[in-house]
Each structure stands twice: as structure tokens, then as C-alpha cells.
Amino acid sequence: MKRIYLVSVLVLLGCLTAGAQLQRYSVNFELSERNFVDTIPIRFENDQIYIEAMTDDGELRLLNFDTGSSQGMVYYGGRMSTDDELGNIVSRDANGRKDTVKVVRLPEFRLGKLWVSNYVATVIVRPHGRRRFDGILGFDLVNKGLQCKIDVKKGHMILTDRKNFFDGEGGFEVKYKLRWFVPHVWVSPFIRHVDEALFDTGSPPLYSMNKQSFNRHAYKSKNVENQVESRSRGHLAIGNYGAETVDEVVFLNLDRLKWGDFSFQHVSSLTTQGGSRVGAALLNYGSLIINPLRKRMTFQPYNGSDTCEVQNRQFNMAFVPVEGRAAVGLIRETCDEYEQGLRQGDVIESINGEEIADFQQFVNYRFVKGETYTLVVVNPRGARKEIKSVRR
């Protein structure tokens, strides 16, 4: 798995230029069922949730369920129709970059037995690395009033509009608050410190921390510095409109990450310029119930305990697009590639003798875990280097 962050978009409302039609956020799409419970198959691959949707003409489309996106999203030139235009909105990605984007009404589609009509989605140019699915199903599905239970171990999601359907189920509950129509929860990365984080299934890592939030915590407690593995300069988060700015990145090995009264122990994490996030990797350790009526999320650990060991691998390198080319966005100073001379800003020219012409070609390169690859890179001054890299 290439170690690249692809960060989901947060759609914000704002004033458009004169003459543009403003399409406001809405959950006025229609559902075919009432007083229903349905179990929908899902795929969980590379810490991402995928749902098959059937269009009204019998075609299957693959949608990514992304709680970090306030509403649906499709791509120019993709397999989802973008013809039924509604207007525009100002869209801001997780790195703070923004653009005016088109809003469309999607053709009717079916999730399990549930038909969804008049669903609204923004249209953007497909970001790098998102070739495998046709669009995004946003948190508006939940904001409509549907409770859901995601269980990747069983490979399904339960959807229901029955208010009390999940009452009586145990688990570890946290409150969430909607900001820009997406859910933010409160977790504790350090003793006596609480961090507000977006619950974002569009982001694979279990937890990443906003650098400014980290700085505030580190200022208050020596305990924080004891959990710092190393520091570097670079960037790794890629939004829909570009990568985050270059800044200091702190590599963390957290003693524990608290979700209410539940503790994820020994969590490798790092800081980013975007907001703090709890990502879809949480679902590897338990099922999750989202209740929009009470604004609660209930985590049900698969091991039946109040703790679990994570011990996930720390990032060594991340790659970002720079003027269309694949460049080293971040490299950890303790890794083998750094010792060989690989640095932040180096551009990939070839892999095992194959020219890498652009970032998308790099993303699509078929790396095999455990194999050694020869990278030829050029630094900003034009000097070339050959680096041996083992895919981990």
C-alpha cells in the first residue's frame, strides 16, 4: 500500500461571485422506505469503506462512504451522470484551499433495498489515486436521520430509520458535534488533554493530529514530549485542491488514545496542517453505531475489552504531487532511504528503469510488499541520486 494521504473534502457554504447560483446544503433527497431496517454489504479495503450502488438502468457503481464529506461527490468524466446541474457552491478542502464547484442532482440509485432519489453531489476533477471508485456517499445520508452500524468484520452496514433500533446494545459512547455538517468527536491523545477531531472514514489512519493542537498540548505537559519519536519538515496531506504547506511534522508514539472510556494502546501517529482526524482504521478494532438523533457514536470492540493493542507501523515516507510530478513530501530521518540521501522535495524520475512521467503514474505503480525498488530521483538543484527502497 503506497503511503499517501488522500484527504476528503469538507464542503463549506459561502458567498459566490455575482451572478452565480447558490446551492445550499440540503438533506431533501428522498428515500423509498419508511420504518425499515436493511443490511447492506460493504467492502473494507485499505482502510476504506465501499458500497455497491445500483443505478436505475441496472448498472453497478462503487461508492466510497466518507463521513468527512458533508455530501456526495462525483468526478468529471466519471461513470456517474453530471448533467442535471443545480448551481455552484464554494468548496474548501481539508488543507484550507477552496474553489467554486458545480453541484448536480444524481440519477436515482439503490443501496440494498433502499432507493435514493434527488441526491445532491458536488463535481470535481478526480484527485490522484481515486480511480477505483465512482463517487462519494457523504455524511448527509446520516444527517437525513438514518442510524447506521458499520461492522467490517461481518462485511456489512445496517441502516435504519427506527429511533430505538440499537437501544440496549453495549459499547463505548462518545458525543459528536456537527461542524460544516460533518461529525467532530473528542478524543484524548495525552493524559489530561482532549483533542477535537473530525471522524473521517475517508482518511485511512487511525489518528492524525493538527500541529497547532499538538503545540498547545506540548506547551502544557512534559508527558507529551516523552511520546515524540522524531521531527522533520515536509507535508503529506493531499486535498482536492493541492497538498498542505510544508511545515514541521512531529512523529508520535502515543501511549494510548482514549475514545471515551476505551483505550487504543501504543498508537503511531503524526501531525498535519489540517484538522485532527480519527480515521477508518478504527473499524479494524470494532464495529461502530452512529446515532444522529442523539449525536452519539458507540464503539463496540471486537475483543470485548476496554483496551486494544494497535502497534501500527509509523510512516517513513509520503509522496505528493509537485507541478504534476511525484515528489517526496515527507521523509523520516531514521529510515534507510534518508541515510542513502533521499530528501524532501526530491522528484521521482524512474522506478526500476521505468520512467515516471507524472504523479498519477506513480500512484498506479504496482508495488509489491517486501520487494526492493531502485528509485532515480532529482533534487531541486538538478542533481540525480539512485535510492534502494524496500516496499513495506
Side-chain angles (χ1 to χ4, degrees):
M1 172 65 180
K2 293 173 284 298
R3 299 179 183 277
I4 300 169
Y5 275 167
L6 297 173
V7 179
S8 59
V9 69
L10 303 183
V11 177
L12 308 184
L13 302 181
C15 295
L16 302 180
T17 56
Q21 178 186 353
L22 176 64
Q23 173 67 31
R24 296 186 66 82
Y25 179 84
S26 172
V27 290
N28 290 334
F29 54 90
E30 299 158 10
L31 305 176
S32 63
E33 304 288 327
R34 289 189 178 181
N35 191 28
F36 77 95
V37 178
D38 194 18
T39 301
I40 300 172
I42 61 173
R43 304 181 201 170
F44 192 63
E45 300 172 0
N46 298 324
D47 293 331
Q48 291 284 271
I49 303 168
Y50 299 104
I51 305 173
E52 285 189 347
M54 177 76 74
T55 64
D56 56 0
D57 58 1
E59 297 290 329
L60 281 178
R61 298 290 183 260
L62 192 63
L63 301 179
N64 175 221
F65 181 54
D66 182 356
T67 61
S69 183
S70 62
Q71 59 188 156
M73 188 180 303
V74 293
Y75 308 115
Y76 286 106
R79 299 195 303 167
M80 302 288 283
S81 172
T82 59
D83 295 335
D84 191 358
E85 298 186 22
L86 298 175
N88 301 281
I89 62 172
V90 173
S91 170
R92 186 189 303 266
D93 72 9
N95 296 324
R97 301 175 187 269
K98 58 184 178 180
D99 198 1
T100 301
V101 297
K102 184 168 72 173
V103 180
V104 299
R105 181 187 293 111
L106 296 183
E108 188 176 39
F109 60 90
R110 180 166 57 86
L111 305 173
K113 67 181 181 183
L114 185 70
W115 283 96
V116 181
S117 307
N118 299 314
Y119 188 71
V120 171
T122 56
V123 188
I124 65 169
V125 176
R126 187 185 295 271
H128 296 293
R130 293 190 175 181
R131 294 275 174 100
R132 63 165 289 107
F133 58 91
D134 297 297
I136 283 173
L137 193 63
F139 199 68
D140 50 354
L141 185 70
V142 177
N143 287 339
K144 180 74 172 176
L146 298 184
Q147 295 186 70
C148 75
K149 180 176 181 178
I150 306 167
D151 190 329
V152 302
K153 196 171 184 180
K154 293 182 178 178
H156 67 222
M157 174 191 292
I158 300 173
L159 280 179
T160 181
D161 62 350
R162 297 179 186 172
K163 293 182 180 180
N164 303 317
F165 184 78
F166 294 115
D167 286 3
E169 292 206 21
F172 296 87
E173 189 177 89
V174 297
K175 299 178 182 179
Y176 73 82
K177 181 176 182 178
L178 290 178
R179 295 188 185 276
W180 307 299
F181 313 108
V182 289
H184 288 71
V185 298
W186 289 266
V187 294
S188 175
F190 308 111
I191 295 174
R192 294 185 297 278
H193 294 290
V194 176
D195 188 33
E196 181 181 329
L198 171 64
F199 179 71
D200 183 6
T201 57
S203 177
L206 175 59
Y207 177 65
S208 54
M209 190 172 191
N210 170 259
K211 179 58 162 53
Q212 288 69 36
S213 177
F214 168 81
N215 289 342
R216 290 193 298 270
H217 291 313
Y219 177 76
K220 297 176 184 177
S221 173
K222 294 180 180 179
N223 171 261
V224 173
E225 197 62 33
N226 293 335
Q227 298 175 70
V228 173
E229 290 186 329
S230 59
R231 299 170 185 260
S232 186
R233 282 191 63 80
H235 54 165
L236 67 159
I238 306 171
N240 287 315
Y241 311 124
E244 65 182 348
T245 58
V246 174
D247 204 337
E248 182 184 58
V249 175
V250 182
F251 295 86
L252 299 168
N253 191 334
L254 303 177
D255 294 337
R256 91 291 185 276
L257 176 70
K258 292 280 285 185
W259 170 285
D261 292 327
F262 187 83
S263 179
F264 297 93
Q265 297 185 332
H266 303 115
V267 177
S268 292
S269 180
L270 39 65
T271 62
T272 72
Q273 299 309 304
S276 298
R277 276 176 166 69
V278 174
L282 172 139
L283 300 170
N284 289 302
Y285 306 98
S287 59
L288 185 75
I289 298 171
I290 306 177
N291 186 331
L293 308 176
R294 299 173 184 170
K295 293 206 168 38
R296 300 286 192 272
M297 294 188 186
T298 304
F299 179 71
Q300 300 176 314
Y302 292 134
N303 67 5
S305 176
D306 60 359
T307 63
C308 72
E309 282 288 326
V310 176
Q311 296 188 346
N312 53 321
R313 184 186 295 275
Q314 183 60 277
F315 270 77
N316 281 332
M317 294 183 293
F319 297 87
V320 298
V322 175
E323 297 180 352
R325 302 294 299 274
V328 179
L330 177 69
I331 184 164
R332 196 177 178 199
E333 295 181 5
T334 57
C335 74
D336 293 340
E337 290 84 354
Y338 186 90
E339 292 181 1
Q340 295 177 61
L342 191 66
R343 294 294 184 269
Q344 191 271 327
D346 289 350
V347 174
I348 307 294
E349 285 201 337
S350 68
I351 302 175
N352 285 357
E354 178 182 339
E355 181 183 0
I356 304 298
D358 56 35
F359 187 76
Q360 190 64 53
Q361 185 179 355
F362 172 79
V363 170
N364 292 334
Y365 193 90
R366 295 186 177 276
F367 291 102
V368 177
K369 186 176 180 180
E371 292 290 322
T372 300
Y373 294 88
T374 300
L375 312 180
V376 175
V377 301
V378 59
N379 70 19
R381 296 178 300 279
R384 283 174 174 75
K385 292 171 280 188
E386 187 175 289
I387 306 293
K388 300 290 185 181
S389 179
V390 178
R391 178 56 51 174
R392 294 178 175 83

